[in-house]
Every structure is written in C-alpha cells, then in structure tokens.
Amino acid sequence: MSLRSFQSEIQEISARELARQRGQASVTPAPRNIHARKIQILEESNIVGEPSLSRDAGVEDEVEAALLAIHDYDRARTSVAQLITGRKGEYIFRIGCRPPHVSLFAGESVDDAAGWSGVPRTDVEVTSLQSSVKRVVEELGGKVYHVLFETTDSHYPRATLLLRLPPPSIELVPEVRCAVVGNVDSGKSTTLGVLTRGPLDDGRGRARVALFRHKHEIETGRTSSVGMEILGFSTAGVPVLPNIPPSADADMIRRDKLGWDEISAQSAKIVSFSDLAGHERYLKTTLYGLTSGAPSCVILMVGANAGLIGMSKEHLAIALALSVPVVVCITKIDMTPPNILNETTKQVVKILKSPGCRKTPVFVNSMEVAVESSQTFAQHKLCPVFRVSNVTGEGLDYFRTFLNLLPSSEADTETFAIDQPLEYSITDIWSVPYVGTVVNGILNSGSVKTGDPVLFGPDSNGHFQSTVVRSMQRKRADVSTAEAGQCVALALKRVKRAAVRKGMVIVHKTDTPPKAIRQFEGQVLILYHNTTMQQNYQAMLHCGAVRQTVRIISMDNPEGVLRTGDRATVQFEFITQPEFVKVGMKLLFREGKTKGLGVITRLL
C-alpha cells in the first residue's frame, strides 16, 4: 500500500465526511458575515457587479481591450471591480501574453517556447495599459503595487501588476499562516529575523536574537519553543518594517520593533510564521505546531553547507503526511563553496522527486517565477525552491514577493465554513493579570463576537462548561468579531486557568452540547516501526489541536500485529480523558521513532 494512494484515500474520506457534517448541521441563518460587509463597502465606493470567482484570463483580455478603446472605460472599471472583489480585495493582473508554465518553471528560456496564451501587446501598449489600470484601481480606492514584473525587451512584452484594496478594518486583514521547519542550525530564526526586522544578518546570529523568548535560547542559539512572528505587507505590497539602521547591533534590533497591533493597522495582508524547533528533543512541540496551527504552507529551511539532514527529513515527511504544501528555502549560500551548494541542490531535487514526495522542484530565479509559482504551487504538486543569503540579501526579494502573494488561509472555504455553527479549537492558554483566562486558537467554522455565550470543553468527565466571551484580540489588536479560518485570542469570563487545557473546543451555547469521545476507530498506515505493534500498544496521538496518549484496543489484522507499511482498521482509546474529535479528522501517532498516519472513520 503506497503512502501516496493512502493519502488520496484519506483526503476523500475527510472531504466526504465534511460534506456530510455540513449538510447535517442546522442551517441557521449565519450572522451577516464579514465578507458580505466587505463587498457592501466596495459597492458603496461605486463598484457594482457580481464577483467572478474563476481566475479568468479572458476577463483580463477584455479589460485590456476596453482600456485601449477609450470609449469603454466604464466597462473596464466594472470588470476590474469584479476581479478584485471576487478575490477578496486582491488580484494579480497580467498584461500581454502569458508564458507556458511548464517552460517557465523548468528554468528554460520562454521566448522560443510554444504554448503562449493571451493577446500579444506591443511595449507601448503595455506601458499605456499599466497607467490606465493604475487609474482605474485608484478610483476604486486601491493601490497598484510598483509593478511585480515587467519585460519589454523580449518577443512578448508583458507585465504583472498587484491590485489591492485596503481592508476596511483590522478584523478583515487577510492572513497567511506558514510553519517554518528544518534541522538545527539551518537558519530558521535568522531568516525570520531578517524578513520581519529588516536589517541583514552579520553572519554571527545578530538577526535571530530578536526572536528568542528565553535566556537559554539566546545563550545556545537554539529555539526550544514555538515562536510566533508576523510580517505585514502594505496596500502597495511593501513589507511593514521598523526603522532600524542597517548597522544596528543585536540589542537595538531586539529593542526597536513594531508592536503586532501597529503592524496590523498598517497592513493589507499579514503572513504569520510559527518558528518551530529544529532539535530532535523538541519534535513533540514541532508536531503539535504543525497539526494544531492549520498552516497554509510549510517552509522547510535547508542549510546549504549541511544539506537535507537529520530532522529536516523528519519534518518533510510530517508535512507530506498532513498534505500541507511545501516550500524549500536553501540558506547560507554566501558562505558555502559552489561545489557544496551544487551537491545540496542536487540532493534536494533528488529527495523532492523521490517516490515518497513526488513533487516537482521549481527554482525561483526570477520575479516572474516567484509571482506565478505563488498562485499554482499548492494545486499542482510543485515545490518552489529559494536560494537565499541572510548576510548579502541575495534571493530575499523573490522570497518576500512570494510570501506577499500567497492566497490567505481564510480564503480556503472548503476547510473553513462561515455558514456553519461555531467551532473553535484551543491551542494556547494564558492567565493575564486583570483580564483573567485567555485562550488562543483557530476558528474551524462559524463566527464569534464579544459578549457571545459559549460552551467550552470537554473536561475530564466529558462535560462542557458555560462562559461568555469577554473580549477578543487578533494579532494583539482588539477586535469585536471573528470568522472561520482566523486565528484569534478570546478572554473568557469567570473561568479558572486550570479549567481549560489545549485541545478543548469552544462552541455556541446550546441545550445539546457536543459529545466527548473516549473510543474511536480509524484507518491507519504504519509509516515506520522497528518491531511489531499489538493490542494495548500505546502512542502519542496528534489530531488537530488534540494531543493525548492512546491505546490500541483492537485491530482487523488477522495476525493481530502491525509492522512497517501495514494498513489496518484500528480501534483506539484515549488514556486520560475524553476528547472532542470528529469523523474525517486526520491523525498522526508516534512513540519514539514509530510513526503512523490515518483518518478517523467511526466514533464508538
């Protein structure tokens, strides 16, 4: 049984169950959601028209034709408005012919390639269309990014523009969640330090000091906790960074930083990074960050001097098991001899093309590749590969552009449905002086606002307790509403810190609270085990935000044992307390080096 076919089967089971659960959920009229408010605001600024949700190159050609014919200006304006509103306030507009992706991503010269699409334009037309589109978007209240990509000296003059409207409020700023993984010393924290603070590294770890949260991390230079960093992009597509001079020392970089609320207020899009630990000792923490954080993509950092070693392979395997798109970033290219860099590059390509991965590596060596790959890599099993230096800054512009253009996490309406009942999973808990208990997590479905009566649980007896949402913050800025796909912190009224734990869920108050589950059945595939697994075998299970030891009660294997590569229907039982899980949820379990992957098929 190959991992690839088992994964596609898991996807089918998850999708089928999700559709069934949504069909069953009482279809209560959802509160007028935020997206509707956004469209209303756009309509008030003289924009009419139904949003078109298919990325239709034909509409772009029509807009170009309308703008070149002076009398059709209004029609062009309406079409541009439809394109932007259909994409939740952001659209990548291509002028001229579009190169064939196969040749572009293979790194070949595209000028002589066959398969170009779109209407050819002259360089004069390309320049004229840029200023016309800019005028249209500014009338709609948006900004045109300084052109993402432009070429007038090839056979096919073309340009790509980013059209972006400012979000009406902080609650509506789109967010992209990225998990950053890789082996120890692969440059994860340094790369994030350079991306989010601005000044380049000095080759001695100056940039990463600002990210560390504990004294021992600064002393050893190793991350041991899940660090959270955010990078904001303005309406014009420029990174929102503090004003730190390039020659600043580590203390100044650590001290001079923008608050998250300031970044949110200035941004039209936010990229949230979870800086996960690379050391083997912290694999449990890293796994929890990957399963509970619902990342849109995993950025795998590889040190050019060391190659894809140790925990990097482990992290790549987990990302593939969870079907999360992967981006590879090869760091330290300034200090690596060319022959070693070539070896590392070959090794990365070999692993990505191997039967276990089956991904097509795309080396991002131009702005055009960065723009096009950001839109298509998740659907087409592509893996963009960036080669960057945090000391010289080489390759960082392509990486920033790629991050700026990634589709937002909440735009994935298949995973996060706004029109369903509230379900919020708790991934972090704090006790804040004068506020009380605060929980952080992701809204899997529905929406919530301050003052809502809610239930949280299950506790050790499987019961749910009632409370009220006192206040809410998103990226440390106060908000009053939140909807599916967003990551928000809720302050709960009159709840003790000890009463809440990670893995609990929050739902709207009803007479029939959800049922807590002690035993369940799942289809599993054993990825690796050095001996055999049998009845009463115990392992740590990760399923969404739930992390608990489970015991195997029974299995349908005739021999009664499971080995590496075996697939079976297994019945599990939670050891300590019941949890809230649903049919169709993916699960990972591990104990030492043992790993298994599966999906919940039945609740017992």
Side-chain angles (χ1 to χ4, degrees):
M1 177 75 195
S2 79
L3 172 63
R4 182 65 54 196
S5 54
F6 183 67
Q7 276 179 303
S8 49
E9 208 167 302
I10 285 182
Q11 286 298 107
E12 280 171 28
I13 293 175
S14 291
R16 195 172 61 231
E17 279 304 321
L18 195 63
R20 191 180 62 78
Q21 285 160 10
R22 287 183 182 170
Q24 276 182 356
S26 54
V27 189
T28 48
R32 181 170 171 75
N33 66 43
I34 293 176
H35 184 46
R37 262 176 51 207
K38 196 169 193 173
I39 289 177
Q40 180 200 350
I41 290 163
L42 294 171
E43 281 169 356
E44 283 165 7
S45 53
N46 302 329
I47 300 180
V48 287
E50 197 54 31
S52 134
L53 283 169
S54 63
R55 183 178 281 287
D56 192 0
V59 179
E60 294 179 356
D61 295 338
E62 278 175 31
V63 170
E64 290 172 26
L67 287 173
L68 289 170
I70 313 292
H71 59 278
D72 262 4
Y73 185 77
D74 286 343
R75 200 183 79 186
R77 193 166 138 213
T78 308
S79 300
V80 170
Q82 286 178 346
L83 289 173
I84 300 180
T85 49
R87 293 260 170 264
K88 293 202 170 185
E90 178 177 307
Y91 188 76
I92 294 170
F93 191 91
R94 296 164 181 84
I95 295 174
C97 284
R98 298 161 195 81
H101 279 180
V102 177
S103 308
L104 183 67
F105 292 160
E108 301 163 3
S109 165
V110 288
D111 278 358
D112 308 321
W116 284 75
S117 60
V119 181
R121 302 282 178 209
T122 63
D123 48 356
V124 177
E125 286 177 330
V126 168
T127 314
S128 147
L129 282 166
Q130 282 184 40
S131 51
S132 302
V133 172
K134 183 173 183 177
R135 201 173 105 216
V136 167
V137 177
E138 283 176 353
E139 280 181 24
L140 300 175
K143 283 271 170 64
V144 173
Y145 180 15
H146 63 276
V147 183
L148 291 171
F149 166 78
E150 179 182 19
T151 176
T152 49
D153 54 359
S154 82
H155 299 327
Y156 298 97
R158 57 196 185 277
T160 306
L161 317 176
L162 172 63
L163 318 183
R164 191 177 264 172
L165 298 179
S169 68
I170 288 182
E171 287 138 359
L172 304 177
V173 179
E175 177 192 11
V176 184
R177 286 187 290 275
C178 297
V180 182
V181 296
N183 199 45
V184 179
D185 305 335
S186 61
K188 296 185 294 298
S189 299
T190 300
T191 305
L192 289 190
V194 171
L195 285 174
T196 58
R197 296 292 189 276
L200 295 170
D201 192 43
D202 60 354
R204 290 273 170 273
R206 174 182 76 167
R208 70 184 179 197
V209 172
L211 271 69
F212 289 150
R213 309 199 300 183
H214 303 292
K215 186 166 173 274
H216 69 263
E217 291 181 332
I218 296 171
E219 286 162 359
T220 62
R222 288 189 176 160
T223 310
S224 64
S225 56
V226 177
M228 291 297 294
E229 287 298 319
I230 67 171
L231 169 62
F233 287 97
S234 68
T235 320
V238 181
V240 177
L241 301 171
N243 290 323
I244 302 176
S247 57
D249 61 354
D251 288 338
M252 189 172 179
I253 292 177
R254 191 173 171 78
R255 202 174 49 244
D256 289 1
K257 57 180 182 185
L258 287 174
W260 284 22
D261 48 349
E262 294 173 84
I263 295 176
S264 303
Q266 295 176 38
S267 301
K269 186 178 217 169
I270 288 175
V271 182
S272 305
F273 300 103
S274 346
D275 182 11
L276 302 178
H279 201 281
E280 194 163 356
R281 279 170 55 187
Y282 310 120
L283 178 63
K284 185 175 88 167
T285 310
T286 302
L287 240 174
Y288 185 69
L290 280 174
T291 52
S292 67
S296 297
C297 79
V298 165
I299 300 171
L300 178 69
M301 296 283 177
V302 178
N305 54 346
L308 205 72
I309 51 164
M311 295 307 290
S312 301
K313 292 182 180 174
E314 194 85 26
H315 294 154
L316 178 60
I318 294 164
L320 292 168
L322 293 168
S323 309
V324 184
V326 179
V327 177
V328 174
C329 189
I330 300 176
T331 58
K332 309 187 188 184
I333 60 171
D334 56 287
M335 62 169 274
T336 310
N339 60 325
I340 306 288
L341 179 58
N342 283 341
E343 278 177 33
T344 301
T345 307
K346 279 181 193 161
Q347 182 204 16
V348 167
V349 169
K350 186 180 168 189
I351 289 177
L352 289 175
K353 286 183 172 174
S354 67
C357 268
R358 290 219 188 115
K359 291 209 179 278
T360 311
V362 173
F363 286 94
V364 182
N365 298 325
S366 74
M367 208 49 100
E368 189 168 21
V369 178
V371 172
E372 296 299 331
S373 61
S374 69
Q375 302 305 301
T376 55
F377 81 106
Q379 298 89 343
H380 296 113
K381 293 207 163 52
L382 302 175
C383 176
V385 181
F386 293 87
R387 285 174 284 201
V388 304
S389 162
N390 294 313
V391 176
T392 64
E394 188 185 335
L396 284 172
D397 284 347
Y398 301 149
F399 196 33
R400 280 201 182 99
T401 301
F402 179 84
L403 293 170
N404 178 20
L405 301 179
L406 284 175
S408 70
S409 300
E410 56 262 34
D412 180 5
T413 47
E414 283 181 23
T415 313
F416 305 111
I418 299 172
D419 54 359
Q420 296 296 310
L422 169 69
E423 185 194 305
Y424 171 99
S425 30
I426 297 174
T427 58
D428 252 319
I429 307 139
W430 306 279
S431 187
V432 180
Y434 310 111
V435 176
T437 302
V438 174
V439 296
N440 188 46
I442 291 172
L443 268 89
N444 299 324
S445 62
S447 58
V448 65
K449 56 184 190 298
T450 47
D452 277 0
V454 292
L455 298 172
F456 69 92
D459 59 14
S460 52
N461 302 319
H463 298 146
F464 281 73
Q465 317 292 327
S466 66
T467 180
V468 171
V469 178
R470 176 184 289 179
S471 62
M472 239 193 287
Q473 282 194 340
R474 181 168 183 228
K475 303 283 166 267
R476 302 181 193 162
D478 289 322
V479 295
S480 56
T481 60
E483 59 178 43
Q486 294 185 341
C487 180
V488 290
L490 310 178
L492 304 177
K493 232 180 213 173
R494 289 195 286 280
V495 173
K496 284 199 169 68
R497 161 79 179 75
V500 192
R501 61 183 172 79
K502 292 180 184 181
M504 279 185 166
V505 291
I506 291 178
V507 295
H508 273 312
K509 196 167 186 177
T510 57
D511 299 334
T512 53
K515 192 163 167 273
I517 303 298
R518 179 71 93 157
Q519 298 181 351
F520 61 92
E521 188 176 273
Q523 293 260 357
V524 298
L525 175 69
I526 310 304
L527 299 176
Y528 174 78
H529 186 50
N530 47 13
T531 56
T532 59
M533 283 185 197
Q534 44 208 351
Q535 206 173 335
N536 289 329
Y537 174 84
Q538 293 188 4
M540 176 65 78
L541 176 99
H542 292 264
C543 179
V546 171
R547 177 171 73 177
Q548 201 191 128
T549 310
V550 290
R551 179 172 74 88
I552 294 180
I553 320 171
S554 67
M555 59 181 87
D556 69 351
N557 192 309
E559 297 173 31
V561 292
L562 293 176
R563 296 181 178 84
T564 300
D566 283 358
R567 182 189 162 169
T569 302
V570 179
Q571 294 191 353
F572 294 100
E573 177 181 48
F574 286 115
I575 295 282
T576 38
Q577 58 214 7
E579 297 279 9
F580 175 79
V581 290
K582 295 192 295 191
V583 175
M585 283 174 84
K586 288 181 195 167
L587 53 92
L588 266 177
F589 58 91
R590 52 161 215 95
E591 181 254 348
K593 285 205 166 174
T594 301
K595 271 176 282 315
L597 163 72
V599 61
I600 298 176
T601 51
R602 193 159 68 96
L603 306 176
L604 305 173

